[in-house]
Amino acid sequence: MQKNVSIIIPNYNGEKLIPKYLPSVIDALKNYLGKSEIIIVDDKSSDRSIEEIKKFKSVNIIPLESNSGFAHACNKGLFVAQHEVVLFLNNDVLLLKDFFHFFSDYFNDPAVFAVTVRSFRANDGRFLDGGKIGTWRYGSWHVSQNYDVTETENSHLKKPYLSFSVQGAFFFADREKMLNLNGFDELMSPYIYEETDLSYRALKRGWKIAYEPRCIAYHEVGTSIKKRSHYYKVRILSERNRLIFLWKNIHDRQMFYNSIRYLAVILLTLNPVKWIAFLWAFSKINKIYHRRISERKACVKTDKEIYVYFNEYFSKIERKAKL
């Protein structure tokens, strides 16, 4: 029996993107036997997004009163979603017509938290995202590499193919487990690193993230972020949220001290981006500390156990560099 699915699309100034990509989502759902709904959470757009969304009668619109960022918009959609599986989907993604044919069976396994999918660049068709590879180096987790599974690449792997993280632009998740995690952490608003944080918290609860290469999406990369800010703000946000992630989620003493040592070395370079990010993250230290305590209590797996498991798993995998 097919799982019912709620599609949650955060939108900010997507006036031109909605008519371009939403029809592919609706068409793909027409080929799916389970129940479904589409929820678009508008993050206080200043363009005609709402008018464009209203042209699609089957879509549920949630307008936010203030612009709050990706995590808050996704969480609003999560809390009102009616079905047991949710698909978080950017507004700049085109889905193939059979996109929904392959995800449902994964959620018969109570250990599965999420399913991440294969994607290509919308403009030139180049491979973009697949299974996410996590490596611990320089005092931090890095997820910049992907792997794919084809007749020639990693064909020795047995299903389910595992992923260290989801890709935030498009992934299926168990709604109940998402609620157990309290959704995305809004400390990381307005954007960047939320899906890595979400995924790692799920892994530490003993859950699995699967990669399904038959679910294919085409992504117009960077559209949402380009509309929000410039290059240096993105760099600072990325560094700030990486620190929040580490301070909150790394509980192994050796790994945590390793992280602090690398941070000290970086700050000695007097790089202004690093210092601004550090001070911004440190200003949230009380909230980070309380989340750290809560996450530590909820953990089933240790950082070291996750490191050992995935280090062995990914050692057998042919990798693709992030393009």
Side-chain angles (χ1 to χ4, degrees):
M1 185 175 178
Q2 301 293 302
K3 300 290 184 182
N4 300 327
V5 60
S6 298
I7 294 87
I8 299 169
I9 302 175
N11 175 74
Y12 176 73
N13 285 354
E15 175 186 351
K16 295 181 180 179
L17 297 173
I18 293 297
K20 185 176 181 180
Y21 292 109
L22 185 57
S24 74
V25 181
I26 295 171
D27 287 345
L29 283 174
K30 290 177 181 177
N31 296 317
Y32 186 62
L33 298 178
K35 294 180 180 179
S36 64
E37 62 176 345
I38 299 175
I39 302 167
I40 297 184
V41 184
D42 185 75
D43 199 11
K44 194 63 175 178
S45 293
S46 58
D47 64 2
R48 298 183 69 259
S49 286
I50 296 291
E51 287 81 354
E52 287 296 332
I53 297 168
K54 286 181 178 178
K55 293 178 181 179
F56 300 90
K57 304 301 182 182
S58 59
V59 174
N60 179 16
I61 309 171
I62 301 177
L64 300 184
E65 295 182 357
S66 62
N67 180 253
S68 304
F70 176 84
H72 183 71
C74 286
N75 288 343
K76 280 290 186 181
L78 172 68
F79 298 145
V80 303
Q82 299 295 308
H83 300 314
E84 65 258 52
V85 176
V86 290
L87 169 67
F88 293 99
L89 187 67
N90 277 18
N91 63 359
D92 54 0
V93 176
L94 182 146
L95 303 183
L96 295 190
K97 289 188 176 181
D98 64 352
F99 182 84
F100 293 99
H101 288 186
F102 312 107
F103 80 91
S104 184
D105 287 347
Y106 286 98
F107 292 99
N108 292 327
D109 180 350
V112 167
F113 164 66
V115 177
T116 195
V117 309
R118 180 197 258 169
S119 72
F120 299 88
R121 291 177 181 267
N123 62 334
D124 58 17
R126 287 189 295 163
F127 177 84
L128 185 59
D129 292 294
K132 310 301 287 185
I133 295 172
T135 55
W136 176 265
R137 62 183 190 276
Y138 308 122
S140 183
W141 281 108
H142 297 263
V143 291
S144 60
Q145 289 184 313
N146 298 269
Y147 76 91
D148 200 8
V149 183
T150 67
E151 291 183 0
T152 57
E153 293 181 68
N154 298 303
S155 57
H156 61 284
L157 293 180
K158 295 181 179 180
K159 295 187 74 172
Y161 313 126
L162 298 182
S163 182
F164 186 84
S165 174
V166 299
Q167 169 52 252
F170 24 64
F171 72 95
F172 296 94
D174 182 304
R175 181 174 181 268
E176 185 175 344
K177 290 182 174 66
M178 282 290 302
L179 292 172
N180 182 279
L181 291 167
N182 295 315
F184 291 95
D185 190 341
E186 296 182 25
L187 267 183
M188 297 186 170
S189 294
Y191 50 80
I192 298 180
Y193 231 91
E194 306 98 325
E195 72 266 37
T196 303
D197 173 78
L198 179 80
S199 300
Y200 196 68
R201 290 189 287 130
L203 293 178
K204 292 194 76 172
R205 283 162 172 76
W207 301 334
K208 296 186 292 189
I209 299 169
Y211 167 48
E212 177 46 75
R214 293 175 296 176
C215 295
I216 297 176
Y218 285 82
H219 189 195
E220 189 173 326
V221 182
T223 305
S224 299
I225 288 180
K226 286 177 184 176
K227 287 181 179 294
R228 290 175 179 266
S229 63
H230 57 73
Y231 173 71
Y232 285 104
K233 182 178 179 181
V234 172
R235 283 184 59 198
I236 292 168
L237 281 169
S238 179
E239 290 295 328
R240 182 203 70 172
N241 287 353
R242 183 178 63 84
L243 291 175
I244 293 173
F245 166 83
L246 291 168
W247 297 347
K248 184 178 64 157
N249 295 315
I250 303 303
H251 307 134
D252 178 85
R253 184 175 298 180
Q254 182 180 357
M255 293 174 71
F256 186 75
Y257 288 160
N258 179 253
S259 175
I260 297 299
R261 283 195 296 271
Y262 273 103
L263 173 62
V265 170
I266 289 170
L267 293 179
L268 286 173
T269 66
L270 303 181
N271 183 315
V273 168
K274 306 289 186 180
W275 267 100
I276 293 170
F278 167 72
L279 294 172
W280 198 356
F282 194 77
S283 71
K284 300 175 180 287
I285 198 66
N286 287 335
K287 291 181 179 180
I288 295 170
Y289 175 75
H290 288 297
R291 280 169 167 77
R292 178 180 176 86
I293 298 300
S294 176
E295 287 300 320
R296 193 164 193 167
K297 289 179 181 178
C299 288
V300 173
K301 298 283 188 181
T302 66
D303 300 298
K304 196 59 67 72
E305 286 173 329
I306 292 173
Y307 170 81
V308 170
Y309 180 83
F310 279 105
N311 191 50
E312 180 180 358
Y313 186 80
F314 293 135
S315 69
K316 305 170 184 177
I317 284 176
E318 179 184 347
R319 305 173 181 219
K320 286 178 174 286
K322 182 78 172 178
L323 297 175

